Amino acid sequence: AQSVTQLGSHVSVSEGALVLLRCNYSSSVPPYLFWYVQYPNQGLQLLLKYTTGATLVKGINGFEAEFKKSETSFHLTKPSAHMSDAAEYFCAVSPGGSGGSNYKLTFGKGTLLTVNP
Amino acid sequence: GAVVSQHPSRVICKSGTSVKIECRSLDFQATTMFWYRQFPKKSLMLMATSNEGSKATYEQGVEKDKFLINHASLTLSTLTVTSAHPEDSSFYICSARGGLVGGYTFGSGTRLTVV
């Protein structure tokens, strides 16, 4: 079983400020972790993912996230917010490893990021 | 990179008619396709999982006779909303698994409005 909790349904930052979106997960097996961004009336775009290896993952548009197993967290950060970062962000978890047929993604409820000029 | 093409992007249909939504993986073979429904300002709700050549597995509470899923090939999956009603109006998104390890690629979504 797996679940995702995103703390804060709405985060507001000023342009140029640090962006921190929080994600905690639970998983009965080693997880794969994802962050997606969604703009209005569009599908989801992958920002970054953690599968194995280095726990600090760098993604597109200057975002990065760190997998912390001891804290069961995968928080998303960006040093300096840009107006174009305003969107909905979803954290997701799936069972990791190879084999098996249950590769369902479980999503958090999403965090709306607004960026103020 | 992996691309999933979803069509149509928007559709308006009359109550009682059926609507078909297509999802194609353009440059990889999608061993598994997922169909989601998203309500306004809400997260994605998984409706069903389909593997090529086999019947789809529906999540609890999803009517399999209303939401028909076909995954006839490794590059094409379709969702047909049968006898649509206004309450079926929603944003539907497909996702394909295949290609890179841990990779899920999403379509651009279909906004369905039933009038």
Side-chain angles (χ1 to χ4, degrees), chain A residues 32 34 36 38 41-46 49 51 90 94-95 97 101 103-105 107-110, chain B residues 10 34 36 38 42-44 46 49 59 91 93 95 97 100-104 106-109 111:
Chain A
Y32 287 172
F34 307 80
Y36 289 91
Q38 184 180 34
N41 289 311
Q42 293 187 29
L44 274 66
Q45 181 183 12
L46 180 66
K49 69 176 185 278
T51 54
F90 292 97
S94 79
S101 60
Y103 287 108
K104 296 179 189 178
L105 269 180
F107 285 90
K109 293 187 175 181
Chain B
R10 289 180 179 271
F34 304 90
Y36 296 86
Q38 187 178 31
K42 297 289 186 182
S43 187
L44 283 74
L46 180 64
T49 303
E59 295 298 301
F91 194 58
I93 307 176
S95 173
R97 188 178 190 279
L100 296 178
V101 171
Y104 297 83
F106 285 80
S108 55
R111 172 73 59 192

Side-chain angles (χ1 to χ4, degrees), chain B residues 47-110:
Chain B
M47 299 173 65
T49 303
S50 72
N51 293 294
E52 182 263 340
S54 60
K55 289 185 178 180
T57 301
Y58 289 82
E59 295 298 301
Q60 191 172 8
V62 177
E63 299 176 61
K64 58 182 66 177
D65 293 332
K66 166 168 274 296
F67 299 101
L68 300 179
I69 291 171
N70 185 283
H71 193 166
S73 74
L74 283 171
T75 59
L76 174 64
S77 178
T78 60
L79 167 67
T80 302
V81 182
T82 63
S83 187
H85 290 282
E87 57 265 30
D88 299 324
S89 298
S90 194
F91 194 58
Y92 294 87
I93 307 176
C94 66
S95 173
R97 188 178 190 279
L100 296 178
V101 171
Y104 297 83
T105 305
F106 285 80
S108 55
T110 298

Side-chain angles (χ1 to χ4, degrees), chain A:
Chain A
Q2 44 194 14
S3 66
V4 176
T5 302
Q6 290 184 241
L7 292 174
S9 59
H10 185 195
V11 170
S12 182
V13 300
S14 298
E15 191 173 18
L18 171 72
V19 175
L20 170 61
L21 304 183
R22 299 179 185 274
C23 173
N24 288 88
Y25 71 91
S26 69
S27 179
S28 55
V29 298
Y32 287 172
L33 294 158
F34 307 80
W35 275 101
Y36 289 91
V37 61
Q38 184 180 34
Y39 297 97
N41 289 311
Q42 293 187 29
L44 274 66
Q45 181 183 12
L46 180 66
L47 282 176
L48 48 81
K49 69 176 185 278
Y50 168 79
T51 54
T52 58
T55 56
L56 181 62
V57 180
K58 295 186 185 297
I60 62 172
N61 301 338
F63 285 95
E64 63 181 37
E66 186 171 10
F67 169 57
K68 292 187 176 180
K69 183 178 178 180
S70 61
E71 299 177 10
T72 61
S73 69
F74 192 57
H75 302 330
L76 181 71
T77 61
K78 180 174 180 177
S80 177
H82 193 273
M83 296 296 289
S84 61
D85 295 326
E88 187 87 28
Y89 291 80
F90 292 97
C91 181
V93 63
S94 79
S98 59
S101 60
N102 183 10
Y103 287 108
K104 296 179 189 178
L105 269 180
T106 300
F107 285 90
K109 293 187 175 181
T111 298
L112 178 65
L113 176 67
T114 57
V115 182
N116 304 307

Side-chain angles (χ1 to χ4, degrees), chain B residues 1-4 24-31 74-75 96-99 105:
Chain B
V3 176
V4 171
R24 293 181 184 272
S25 57
L26 298 185
D27 48 6
F28 68 101
Q29 292 185 328
T31 52
L74 283 171
T75 59
R97 188 178 190 279
T105 305

